[in-house]
């Protein structure tokens, strides 16, 4: 653990009284779990805190305690009164989207993240690439500041760790990660129900879309690269209640001999904008691929947004992946 950076984060938390907390657009389990657990940490310390995200809480996390404390950014929102901004699970400040506009006075930022591609944009940067998740870092913050866990904070942190490690299957899972999860499980967490809420609660209409997407899996480079395209027309007249990215990539990366799995998804709202999600078995560094297109993440899990048609973007990204392989 980077003790010096952790101590700086602790000192900043002790120094300030009012906090604005945020995370990246399209938040998932780790972003939301770490945000809410951090919110509870501040409240237990007698601080004032608020969470504002650009995007709403996904349906699969509706079981989260304290979800009512997550506010959604709206145009015309007046400047929020705070002393310090805390950004969790974000590689770049631009990833928080429109919430960035709330810091017009350039208040100090505490940047807490675990991505190797983090841009160190804060006044305080606690970045631990070897940590499994932002939630694992917040777990360590509770321990460092001697703030006791309770059932709410435990379920939030456990879920964040669970989702960002692929249910403890990814290479970012360490013995430290398992020890943190074991301690959190002491707080009356129904681990089976948490898993069901996130992964076994998909509406049938979404499953039909998933099957259509999986019907168009392609492989190349002797099967070492596998990819799927999701064109806007597949989603245009349907409302997804779940983000199916993890489900699609889970199937694709399970193909025998596949070393890199890629999902190319057209943005419904922005013409010629493609969201690219990459997963690797570890032999290829997909963070380098994502960085080449202005994105980032981890060696085995990264993403980027690229301008162009599906075909154009696919050709560019696959070409870069071949170089890494």
């Amino acid at each position: 653990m980077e003790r010096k950076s952790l101590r700086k984060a602790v000192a900043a938390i002790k120094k300030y009284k009012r906090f604005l907390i945020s995370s990246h657009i399209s938040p998932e389990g780790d972003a939301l779990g770490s945000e809410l657990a951090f919110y509870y940490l501040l409240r237990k310390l007698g601080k004032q805190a608020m969470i504002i995200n650009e995007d709403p809480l996904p349906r699969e996390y509706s079981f989260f305690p304290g979800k009512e404390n997550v506010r959604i950014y709206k145009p015309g929102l007046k400047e929020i009164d705070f002393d310090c901004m805390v950004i969790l699970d974000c590689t770049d400040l631009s990833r928080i989207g429109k919430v960035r506009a709330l810091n017009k006075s350039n208040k100090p930022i505490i940047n807490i993240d675990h991505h190797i591609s983090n841009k160190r944009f804060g006044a305080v940067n606690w970045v631990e690439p070897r940590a499994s998740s932002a939630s694992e870092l917040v777990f360590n913050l509770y321990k460092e500041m001697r703030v006791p866990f309770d059932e709410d904070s435990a379920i939030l942190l456990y879920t964040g760790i669970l989702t960002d490690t692929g249910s403890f299957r990814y290479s970012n899972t360490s013995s430290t990660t398992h020890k943190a999860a074991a301690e959190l499980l002491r707080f009356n967490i129904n681990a089976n129900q948490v898993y069901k809420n996130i992964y076994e609660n998909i509406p049938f209409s979404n499953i039909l879309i998933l099957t259509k997407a999986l019907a168009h899996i392609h492989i190349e480079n002797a099967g070492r690269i596998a990819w799927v395209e999701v064109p806007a027309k597949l989603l245009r007249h349907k409302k997804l209640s779940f983000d199916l990215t993890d489900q699609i990539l889970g199937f694709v990366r399970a193909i025998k001999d596949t070393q890199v799995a890629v999902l190319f998804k057209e943005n419904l709202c922005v013409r010629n904008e493609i969201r690219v999600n990459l997963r690797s078995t570890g032999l290829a560094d997909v963070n380098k691929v994502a960085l080449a297109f202005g994105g980032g993440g981890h060696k085995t899990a990264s993403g980027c947004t690229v301008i162009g048609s599906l075909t154009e973007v696919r050709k560019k990204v696959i070409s870069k992946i071949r170089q890494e392989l």
Side-chain angles (χ1 to χ4, degrees):
M1 188 188 304
E2 195 9 276
R3 300 292 307 177
K4 185 177 179 181
S5 298
L6 171 58
R7 286 195 293 267
K8 286 182 178 179
V10 169
I13 292 168
K14 289 179 177 178
K15 178 180 178 180
Y16 299 108
K17 300 293 184 184
R18 298 167 299 175
F19 294 81
L20 172 60
I21 305 166
S22 192
S23 187
H24 56 77
I25 55 176
S26 302
E28 35 55 73
D30 187 31
L32 293 162
S34 60
E35 279 185 313
L36 280 163
F38 191 84
Y39 170 87
Y40 283 129
L41 173 100
L42 292 175
R43 295 304 301 270
K44 288 182 177 182
L45 291 170
K47 311 284 185 176
Q48 296 178 35
M50 66 185 79
I51 302 172
I52 300 180
N53 291 336
E54 177 169 320
D55 294 322
L57 185 117
R59 181 172 173 267
E60 57 264 45
Y61 299 105
S62 59
F63 70 95
F64 266 3
K67 63 183 180 181
E68 66 278 2
N69 294 305
V70 180
R71 297 173 59 184
I72 307 305
Y73 177 88
K74 294 180 180 179
L77 188 67
K78 294 181 180 179
E79 186 171 359
I80 303 298
D81 193 17
F82 62 94
D83 306 315
C84 179
M85 194 171 193
V86 180
I87 310 298
L88 293 141
D89 199 38
C90 258
T91 56
D92 189 303
L93 188 57
S94 63
R95 289 278 290 138
I96 67 172
K98 297 171 184 175
V99 178
R100 186 176 181 179
L102 297 175
N103 194 11
K104 295 176 183 177
S105 302
N106 290 318
K107 298 290 175 65
I109 294 173
I110 302 175
N111 167 26
I112 301 175
D113 188 30
H114 66 119
H115 295 94
I116 196 169
S117 56
N118 189 280
K119 301 292 179 61
R120 269 73 174 177
F121 54 82
V124 175
N125 298 293
W126 180 27
V127 179
E128 297 266 11
R130 287 179 293 181
S132 69
S133 54
S135 293
E136 186 176 319
L137 294 180
V138 175
F139 171 89
N140 290 329
L141 197 56
Y142 269 76
K143 303 288 282 185
E144 182 73 15
M145 301 190 75
R146 299 175 184 266
V147 175
F149 299 109
D150 55 24
E151 187 174 338
D152 288 348
S153 58
I155 197 169
L156 292 165
L157 293 174
Y158 176 81
T159 304
I161 293 171
L162 174 79
T163 54
D164 241 37
T165 58
S167 303
F168 307 100
R169 293 177 295 124
Y170 297 164
S171 60
N172 61 343
T173 308
S174 67
S175 59
T176 303
T177 308
H178 281 293
K179 287 175 183 176
E183 182 166 347
L184 295 170
L185 282 170
R186 296 175 185 172
F187 290 87
N188 198 33
I189 294 176
N190 186 335
N192 179 54
Q193 189 58 51
V194 170
Y195 186 90
K196 283 180 174 294
N197 287 337
I198 300 167
Y199 299 114
E200 297 178 351
N201 196 23
I202 304 174
F204 181 66
S205 57
N206 291 33
I207 293 294
L208 293 178
I209 295 173
L210 176 64
T211 59
K212 289 180 180 178
L214 292 175
H216 300 285
I217 296 177
H218 302 266
I219 60 172
E220 49 188 278
N221 263 46
R224 293 192 296 166
I225 303 171
W227 53 271
V228 175
E229 289 180 344
V230 178
K233 64 182 180 182
L234 186 62
L235 306 174
R236 195 170 301 282
H237 302 297
K238 302 170 182 69
K239 185 177 180 182
L240 280 174
S241 12
F242 276 68
D243 181 358
L244 296 175
T245 298
D246 285 339
Q247 283 78 10
I248 293 173
L249 285 170
F251 277 101
V252 177
R253 68 179 292 173
I255 298 171
K256 186 177 182 294
D257 298 325
T258 295
Q259 295 175 14
V260 178
V262 196
L263 172 62
F264 300 95
K265 185 167 59 176
E266 276 189 307
N267 189 331
L268 279 170
C269 304
V270 182
R271 182 179 173 80
N272 281 341
E273 182 177 283
I274 311 299
R275 179 62 187 169
V276 183
N277 295 95
L278 305 111
R279 300 291 185 271
S280 167
T281 59
L283 295 177
D285 187 344
V286 292
N287 178 56
K288 289 182 179 178
V289 177
L291 283 173
F293 297 97
H298 303 286
K299 180 180 178 181
T300 56
S302 289
C304 54
T305 300
V306 187
I307 303 302
S309 68
L310 265 175
T311 302
E312 292 168 344
V313 171
R314 170 172 49 81
K315 288 180 178 179
K316 289 178 183 178
V317 173
I318 296 296
S319 176
K320 183 63 178 175
I321 294 170
R322 286 200 189 102
Q323 293 176 29
E324 286 301 316
L325 287 172

